Amino acid sequence: MTKSRGLRFEKFDLHVHTPESFDFDDRTVLPKQIVEKALAEGLRGIAITDHCTGAFIDATKKAAEGTSLVVFPGVEIACSGGKSGIHVIALLPRDKGEVHVRSLLTDLGIGPEKVGEEGATSPKSLRDVIDIISSPAHKGMAVLAHCTSSKGALQDMKGEVRR
């Protein structure tokens, strides 16, 4: 009988931006460099979660082929709520990619003309954004981004909406 090793601690970074995000400093960074950096940091997995775009996901997944790094597709979405909007991370199943992020953004009311734009915001409520991300159509998981800082739910929201 094989003895189980039980649970293990693994390190993940589920909020990684790339040159596709308007706030990323170095536009020359390549997918291979992101993979190499993640592995050098001892990470088992990352989620590419650029602001309102999935443009770097497929290339990063390809760069990670043959390595031990798992790359999850995702996207950071701004939606209405709080003082000036709330940010939500959508994490999608591993087999999804850029085309699935575009579909999600469309369902969230962020059309192709707004993809990757600074200030692109879903007209949907926080609750609706979470419901759409986790719907059977997208099978995603919603995570409140930087929830205790600027544009975070715990910092910027009050009352029933926050609950």
Side-chain angles (χ1 to χ4, degrees), residues 66-124:
T67 73
S68 61
L69 188 70
V70 176
V71 178
F72 290 94
V75 63
E76 184 169 356
I77 302 143
C79 63
S80 58
K83 297 174 191 165
S84 60
I86 298 297
H87 288 198
V88 178
I89 298 289
L91 299 173
L92 301 177
R94 283 176 55 186
D95 63 337
K96 305 301 181 203
E98 179 184 3
V99 68
H100 301 97
V101 168
R102 272 188 273 148
S103 173
L104 172 62
L105 292 172
T106 298
D107 288 353
L108 293 171
I110 300 171
E113 73 285 354
K114 292 286 188 182
V115 169
E117 298 254 334
E118 184 173 4
T121 302
S122 172
K124 310 278 186 192

Side-chain angles (χ1 to χ4, degrees), residues 5-95:
R5 294 184 344 177
L7 295 176
R8 298 187 309 215
F9 178 79
E10 299 282 359
K11 289 171 54 177
F12 286 78
D13 185 342
L14 300 178
H15 191 164
V16 174
H17 290 300
T18 76
E20 290 296 326
S21 277
F22 59 82
D23 58 354
F24 195 85
D25 290 334
D26 185 356
R27 301 274 178 213
T28 66
V29 170
L30 301 171
K32 179 182 176 188
Q33 292 170 294
I34 289 175
V35 170
E36 289 170 349
K37 178 67 172 171
L39 290 168
E41 294 293 326
L43 297 177
R44 176 70 175 97
I46 60 174
I48 301 298
T49 57
D50 287 312
H51 292 278
C52 272
T53 182
F56 223 74
I57 292 168
D58 296 340
T60 306
K61 287 172 76 170
K62 184 154 184 59
E65 288 177 0
T67 73
S68 61
L69 188 70
V70 176
V71 178
F72 290 94
V75 63
E76 184 169 356
I77 302 143
C79 63
S80 58
K83 297 174 191 165
S84 60
I86 298 297
H87 288 198
V88 178
I89 298 289
L91 299 173
L92 301 177
R94 283 176 55 186
D95 63 337

